[in-house]
């Protein structure tokens, strides 16, 4: 779709459209590093160990689905000058209720999960040192201090280093196991072996598909991209992000297929499965490769931790800001293209102000300290159920609300969905509804 240089989506005079350039890449790296967690890598390994290369095509489709979803979130921010939560709020109060319950409950359990996941590889690297709870608390406190005291530019640089470590380690391990190139290409043909449906859906929908996709637009604004002149840059950035994610998925499928499929090694589900893989790598390639893999495991987990600490806290700060404005009657007329008062509204200055705000820091504390209690307790049954249900509903919520927003008068006509965007978002919504139903069915009711 052609860009105009007369006005931005916010109604302000636009600078000329920026040429897409590698030098601008940043928010996409952040969203890729945050979205791929240790549990995602294990799920991909298990798919490879059970079905070899057969589901490679699902990983490719998953990459395309994520590109379309994140592009839609970024396009909303740039075309309208409004945040995603501002858009959700315009759809009715039900979105505020859902997000409020979700972000509080999800943050409580995710905090414990992220800290434990970051601690696991440290314990494996230093088995004679302190235990899991100690390292979980240390990683949580380091994440808190890092996000509390650093602005977006430093945060992005650290995330780039972490994803660089992840990338090198995962690709190195995949190369060490010597992939079967012929079987890899054969796996691009859509085939569903018996019993593979859920693994296929998980590969398409799972890796890199979390609330951090919704945070992408906030990172785009924090980078300084605040109007539609940055659209081409955002699209290149987004493609780099999810092609990188696709490389992770393909590499872990190769490791699962070559290292685990033939020997029928079973991995523990969840993050601990990577500890099992570390032992397999040590037996096959020696302690050096195993230790390198554990460093990559730590980079994967810790990048997700600080990414959520930063991105979801920005979303929460925006949520509180909008809620307060609405409560005092200062909310603006919704559904109005141009949205007076929002001209140049979202940019690095606003992001920095949000990072210093009380709601941002309150949510950072919420992600860090209350979840530490779960390190000593088995997660309460009711909490697990509620978390599972809310979490399962988030991705369908994101896909379908973006479909709604980007086909309405809330979005300037030039930047509304075309047939391809509508098709991809509708496909994403349908896929995530099916996954949602399956996740809810699998909960320990």
């Amino acid at each position: 779709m052609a860009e105009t240089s007369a006005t931005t989506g916010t109604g302000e005079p636009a600078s000329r459209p920026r040429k897409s350039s590698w030098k601008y890449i940043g928010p996409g790296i952040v969203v890729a590093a945050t979205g791929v967690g240790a549990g995602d890598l294990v799920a991909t390994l298990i798919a490879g160990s059970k079905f070899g290369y057969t589901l490679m095509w699902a990983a490719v489709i998953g990459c395309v689905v994520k590109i379309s979803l994140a592009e839609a979130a970024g396009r909303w921010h740039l075309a309208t000058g409004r945040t995603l939560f501002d858009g959700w709020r315009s759809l009715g109060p039900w979105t505020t209720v859902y997000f409020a319950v979700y972000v509080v409950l999800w943050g409580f359990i995710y905090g414990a999960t992220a800290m434990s996941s970051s601690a696991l590889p440290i314990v494996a690297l230093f088995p004679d040192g302190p235990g899991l709870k100690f390292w979980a608390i240390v990683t949580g406190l380091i994440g808190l201090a890092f996000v509390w005291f650093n602005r977006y530019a430093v945060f992005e640089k650290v995330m780039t280093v972490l994803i660089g470590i992840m990338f090198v380690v995962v690709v190195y391990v995949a190369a060490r196991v010597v992939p079967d190139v012929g079987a890899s290409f054969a796996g691009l043909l859509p085939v569903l072996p018996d019993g593979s449906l859920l693994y296929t859906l998980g590969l398409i929908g799972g890796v890199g598909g979390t609330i951090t996709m919704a945070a992408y637009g906030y990172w785009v604004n924090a980078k300084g991209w605040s109007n539609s002149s940055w659209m081409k840059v955002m699209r290149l950035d987004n493609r780099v992000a999810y092609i990188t994610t696709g490389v992770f998925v393909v590499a872990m499928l190769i490791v699962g297929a070559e290292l685990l499929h033939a020997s029928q090694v079973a991995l523990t589900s969840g993050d601990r499965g990577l500890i099992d893989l570390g032992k397999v790598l040590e037996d096959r390639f020696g302690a050096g490769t195993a230790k390198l893999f554990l460093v990559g495991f730590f980079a994967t987990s810790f990048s997700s931790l600080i990414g959520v600490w930063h991105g979801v806290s920005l979303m929460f700060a925006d949520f509180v800001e909008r809620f307060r404005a609405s409560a005092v009657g200062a909310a603006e007329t919704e559904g109005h293209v141009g949205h007076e008062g929002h001209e140049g509204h979202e940019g690095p200055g606003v992001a920095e102000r949000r990072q210093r705000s009380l709601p941002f820091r309150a949510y950072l504390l919420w992600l860090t300290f209350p979840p530490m209690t779960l390190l000593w307790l088995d997660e309460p049954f009711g909490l697990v159920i509620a978390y599972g249900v809310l979490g399962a509903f988030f991705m369908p919520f994101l896909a379908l609300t973006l479909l709604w927003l980007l086909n309405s008068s809330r979005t300037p006509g030039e930047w509304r969905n075309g047939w391809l965007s509508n098709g991809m978002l509708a496909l994403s919504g349908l896929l995530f509804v099916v996954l949602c139903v399956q996740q809810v069915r699998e909960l320990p009711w």
Side-chain angles (χ1 to χ4, degrees), residues 325-343:
S326 180
V328 299
E332 297 160 24
T333 305
E334 296 172 3
H336 176 44
V337 178
H339 215 65
E340 287 97 12
H342 277 280
E343 285 88 317

Side-chain angles (χ1 to χ4, degrees), residues 25-36 155-171 237 240-248 295-296 298-304 306:
I25 298 300
I29 296 297
V30 171
V31 81
T34 306
V36 180
F155 166 72
E156 184 189 284
K157 285 182 174 65
V158 170
M159 292 294 272
T160 302
V161 170
L162 290 172
I163 203 171
I165 294 169
M166 290 163 61
F167 193 90
V168 169
V169 169
V170 167
V171 171
D237 177 73
V240 169
Y242 284 100
I243 290 170
T244 303
T245 301
V247 171
F248 287 137
V295 170
F298 173 77
T300 302
S301 298
F302 191 66
S303 64
S304 293
I306 60 174

Side-chain angles (χ1 to χ4, degrees), residues 376-445:
W376 276 269
L377 302 171
D378 287 331
E379 293 166 2
F381 182 78
L383 201 58
V384 172
I385 298 294
Y387 171 77
V389 171
L390 284 167
F393 275 96
F394 185 79
M395 290 304 285
F397 170 79
L398 177 62
L400 297 174
T401 53
L402 281 170
L403 196 61
W404 187 349
L405 289 168
L406 292 167
N407 282 291
S408 73
S409 61
R410 297 170 181 84
T411 305
E414 181 188 2
W415 299 112
R416 287 180 202 157
N417 279 357
W419 66 268
L420 181 60
S421 294
N422 277 327
M424 291 306 301
L425 285 177
L427 175 67
S428 302
L430 181 63
L431 166 71
F432 290 125
V433 166
V434 173
L435 279 170
C436 170
V437 170
Q438 184 56 36
Q439 282 178 258
V440 171
R441 285 177 58 193
E442 288 181 355
L443 288 168
W445 296 100

Side-chain angles (χ1 to χ4, degrees), residues 79-431:
T80 66
R82 302 167 68 183
T83 64
L84 188 53
F85 183 76
D86 197 19
W88 286 339
R89 193 172 59 89
S90 75
L91 301 178
W94 64 275
T95 58
T96 300
V97 173
Y98 169 77
F99 184 76
V101 177
Y102 173 80
V103 80
V104 170
L105 189 54
W106 180 87
F108 181 50
I109 295 191
Y110 180 82
T113 304
M115 288 186 274
S116 295
S117 179
S118 298
L120 274 170
I122 301 176
V123 173
L125 280 167
F126 306 104
D128 298 326
L132 183 75
K133 292 183 183 67
F134 173 85
W135 286 118
I137 290 169
V138 167
T139 56
L141 293 175
I142 291 171
L144 170 70
F146 174 74
V147 174
W148 188 290
F149 292 109
N150 286 296
R151 295 292 167 255
Y152 175 80
V154 177
F155 166 72
E156 184 189 284
K157 285 182 174 65
V158 170
M159 292 294 272
T160 302
V161 170
L162 290 172
I163 203 171
I165 294 169
M166 290 163 61
F167 193 90
V168 169
V169 169
V170 167
V171 171
Y172 169 75
V173 171
R176 283 298 302 266
V177 301
V178 190
D180 183 330
V181 177
S184 300
F185 280 107
L188 296 175
L189 292 172
V191 175
L192 272 179
D194 289 343
S196 68
L197 179 61
L198 294 180
Y199 292 96
T200 303
L201 289 172
L203 270 181
I204 296 172
V207 182
T210 67
I211 192 173
T212 53
M213 295 191 74
Y216 178 60
Y218 291 84
W219 284 322
V220 161
N221 291 152
K223 179 74 168 175
W225 307 347
S226 56
N227 57 50
S228 60
S229 68
W230 290 98
M231 201 69 78
K232 284 184 178 177
V233 175
M234 180 276 292
R235 284 171 168 162
L236 174 65
D237 177 73
N238 173 48
R239 286 170 193 144
V240 169
Y242 284 100
I243 290 170
T244 303
T245 301
V247 171
F248 287 137
V249 177
V250 168
M252 292 312 268
L253 265 177
I254 289 169
V255 173
E258 292 292 342
L259 200 60
L260 308 176
H261 182 58
S263 55
Q264 294 296 300
V265 174
L267 296 184
T268 310
S269 62
D271 302 343
R272 290 182 182 275
L274 294 185
I275 299 295
D276 297 345
L277 178 61
K279 292 172 183 170
V280 173
L281 288 170
E282 185 169 4
D283 291 342
R284 179 86 173 265
F285 301 114
T289 298
K291 288 188 187 309
L292 182 66
F293 174 74
L294 289 171
V295 170
F297 176 5
F298 173 77
T300 302
S301 298
F302 191 66
S303 64
S304 293
L305 185 152
I306 60 174
V308 166
W309 263 229
H310 189 277
V312 184
S313 296
L314 273 179
M315 291 183 71
F316 183 77
D318 180 43
F319 162 73
V320 173
E321 195 176 291
R322 309 288 167 189
F323 186 77
R324 280 177 179 166
S326 180
V328 299
E332 297 160 24
T333 305
E334 296 172 3
H336 176 44
V337 178
H339 215 65
E340 287 97 12
H342 277 280
E343 285 88 317
H345 178 68
E346 294 299 324
V350 176
E352 284 196 20
R353 175 177 57 74
R354 282 203 185 111
Q355 264 198 262
R356 292 191 296 269
S357 70
L358 180 61
F360 181 92
R361 291 180 167 178
Y363 194 73
L364 263 182
L365 296 171
W366 173 252
L367 280 167
T368 308
F369 291 105
M372 288 178 182
T373 59
L374 295 181
L375 298 173
W376 276 269
L377 302 171
D378 287 331
E379 293 166 2
F381 182 78
L383 201 58
V384 172
I385 298 294
Y387 171 77
V389 171
L390 284 167
F393 275 96
F394 185 79
M395 290 304 285
F397 170 79
L398 177 62
L400 297 174
T401 53
L402 281 170
L403 196 61
W404 187 349
L405 289 168
L406 292 167
N407 282 291
S408 73
S409 61
R410 297 170 181 84
T411 305
E414 181 188 2
W415 299 112
R416 287 180 202 157
N417 279 357
W419 66 268
L420 181 60
S421 294
N422 277 327
M424 291 306 301
L425 285 177
L427 175 67
S428 302
L430 181 63
L431 166 71

